[in-house]
Amino acid sequence: MSSPEPSSAPAPTSSPRPTRSLTPHPSSVPPAGNTQRAYSADWDRFEQWCHHTHRRALPAEPDTIATYLDDAATHNTTRHGRRYSHATLTRWVAAINHIHRRAGYAPPGTDPRVKTTLAALRSNPPHSSPPQSRRTAPLLVEDLTTILTATRATCTGWASHVTERRDSAVLLIGFAGALRRSDLETLRVNDVTTDHTTGLRIHTPHPTQPHDGRTPTVLLPPTDNHETCPPCAYARWLHVIKAWDSTGRPGVIRLLRRPTPFDAHICHRPLPKPPHPHAPVFRPIRKNGNLTTTALSGSAIQAMIRRRAHAAGYDNDIVAHLGGHSLRAGFIAQALRNGADVHAIMQQTGHISTAMLNTYLPTPSPESTNAVTEIGL
């Protein structure tokens, strides 16, 4: 039998290999021109904030970004006086992520801590909240005296003395300096200079908005009462910083196991020079009395004020309205009630308009301001 003729049909071929997609990953697509310019401006803003708060911008820690967002949403406004919207804050995170990807780093804005902060700000939109100075109850001199007395009366050991000295310094320096919560958070040892006659000079490196015009330095002179004297409070706390930064826990214990009674002014004495001038002035304190190396956060300052007020016997409804801004608001309200010169107040607070100062005064009742009593009937 002869073999069959070969088939003329073409031999079957294998299925064509799928071609690789040429569409780049979204993270590698360069943003459009307008977006690129917005990202550049957003990154410049973040870098400036990191510089002034002594934080690293690249690569940034997720906690740094979370604090940045909270600070902007809580304290800062646009040049038109409005709160930053959630969309703006989200774009800032996108810009930070973009710069990190371009530099070869993982995008820190994808961390759950940043997402949680954005979610919290979305649930409590900053643009719908009244200005901080109007919704935060002020602490006046009488309040500070009450809180300080209660704070010092509860000291039972060296660790409690550490916390008392720090909290007293935060309260008095924040109040007398009319400082923002963020000013206290970013304050470094070398930002404070002393003079035996004029008191403390505090340089506040925290960036302010163009409409604010805040002066970079405030003066805190000695006061009549040593128990409420800001320079004395700073001196007491600075001794703790020096002891901790020099010899650690043993040095602090030697200083405060049998502390010298605080029964007179001490601000006229030479102050110690801590070995780390760029270290934060106000730091977290662990339950065992140990200091940390980081700065006390704004939220921790608010929690401290509320905790101390509650311990001093203040009602829960009042405590709920206290915050870091209560110190600055209290200074302005007290100065206005005492008839202080408006321009002297503005020099301390950095305001450039008297209109903002008026928002710190309580709304007068019709009985106290009724013009009928003044017309001579």
Side-chain angles (χ1 to χ4, degrees):
M1 181 180 291
S2 62
S3 14
E5 293 290 330
S7 172
S8 60
T13 59
S14 59
S15 301
R17 297 178 62 184
T19 59
R20 184 179 178 183
S21 173
L22 298 179
T23 304
H25 188 273
S27 64
S28 63
V29 177
N34 289 339
T35 304
Q36 180 67 49
R37 286 188 287 272
Y39 279 5
S40 178
D42 294 343
W43 176 253
D44 288 344
R45 187 186 192 282
F46 177 65
E47 270 196 318
Q48 183 185 25
W49 181 88
C50 288
H51 171 74
H52 285 287
T53 58
H54 305 277
R55 289 176 167 88
R56 186 177 61 191
L58 189 71
E61 295 292 334
D63 284 336
T64 295
I65 300 174
T67 302
Y68 172 63
L69 296 174
D70 180 69
D71 179 70
T74 306
H75 302 99
N76 297 336
T77 60
T78 67
R79 59 184 178 180
H80 302 296
R82 295 190 295 268
R83 296 287 183 183
Y84 288 109
S85 67
H86 186 270
T88 297
L89 302 179
T90 303
R91 192 195 69 215
W92 289 356
V93 175
I96 294 171
N97 286 340
H98 171 70
I99 296 297
H100 277 72
R101 289 192 183 101
R102 195 173 66 182
Y105 296 107
T110 60
D111 187 274
R113 285 167 286 184
V114 179
K115 292 182 178 180
T116 299
T117 299
L118 278 175
L121 294 175
R122 178 189 288 275
S123 63
N124 184 22
H127 61 271
S128 64
S129 303
Q132 184 78 1
S133 60
R134 296 180 184 176
R135 62 184 174 90
T136 303
L139 285 173
L140 303 179
V141 169
E142 182 180 359
D143 301 313
L144 285 179
T145 302
T146 300
I147 293 174
L148 289 170
T149 301
T151 297
R152 290 164 181 165
T154 58
C155 291
T156 56
W158 73 269
S160 61
H161 281 287
V162 173
T163 308
E164 179 273 313
R165 291 195 179 198
R166 182 203 64 185
D167 294 353
S168 295
V170 170
L171 292 169
L172 289 172
I173 291 175
F175 178 86
L179 300 180
R180 296 174 177 83
R181 191 177 76 169
S182 52
D183 292 332
L184 294 168
E185 180 184 0
T186 58
L187 197 64
R188 294 301 190 264
V189 173
N190 62 345
D191 291 329
V192 185
T193 58
T194 60
D195 184 276
H196 298 326
T197 56
T198 60
L200 300 180
R201 290 185 178 273
I202 298 181
H203 175 65
T204 55
H206 184 73
T208 56
Q209 297 302 315
H211 68 275
D212 189 345
R214 180 170 173 76
T215 54
T217 303
V218 294
L219 177 64
L220 277 61
T223 57
D224 293 336
N225 186 355
H226 69 277
E227 294 182 347
T228 54
C229 177
C232 284
Y234 178 73
R236 296 175 73 237
W237 173 237
L238 192 63
H239 278 91
V240 176
I241 294 177
K242 170 64 183 301
W244 177 264
D245 288 351
S246 300
T247 56
R249 182 183 176 92
V252 177
I253 294 177
R254 283 194 299 270
L255 174 70
L256 297 178
R257 178 170 287 171
R258 295 182 179 85
T260 303
F262 182 42
D263 53 10
H265 278 282
I266 62 172
C267 54
H268 61 279
R269 304 172 187 170
L271 292 179
K273 294 184 178 180
H276 306 299
H278 296 288
V281 172
F282 301 117
R283 314 173 191 179
I285 302 171
R286 297 190 174 96
K287 291 183 178 180
N288 61 3
N290 289 349
L291 276 66
T292 69
T293 59
T294 59
L296 191 66
S297 68
S299 59
I301 292 173
Q302 173 175 287
M304 180 274 290
I305 292 174
R306 292 181 175 182
R307 183 174 64 254
R308 290 300 190 183
H310 184 269
Y314 280 74
D315 184 84
N316 289 336
D317 290 338
I318 296 177
V319 172
H321 287 85
L322 297 177
H325 195 74
S326 294
L327 302 175
R328 178 174 168 87
F331 170 85
I332 298 172
Q334 187 74 69
L336 289 173
R337 294 180 189 187
N338 290 1
D341 179 74
V342 172
H343 295 289
I345 299 174
M346 294 168 62
Q347 181 179 1
Q348 192 79 346
T349 64
H351 285 105
I352 60 175
S353 169
T354 58
M356 279 302 298
L357 294 183
N358 293 332
T359 64
Y360 291 89
L361 285 173
T363 303
S365 64
E367 294 82 2
S368 63
T369 58
N370 197 310
V372 175
T373 60
E374 303 294 333
I375 62 176
L377 285 179

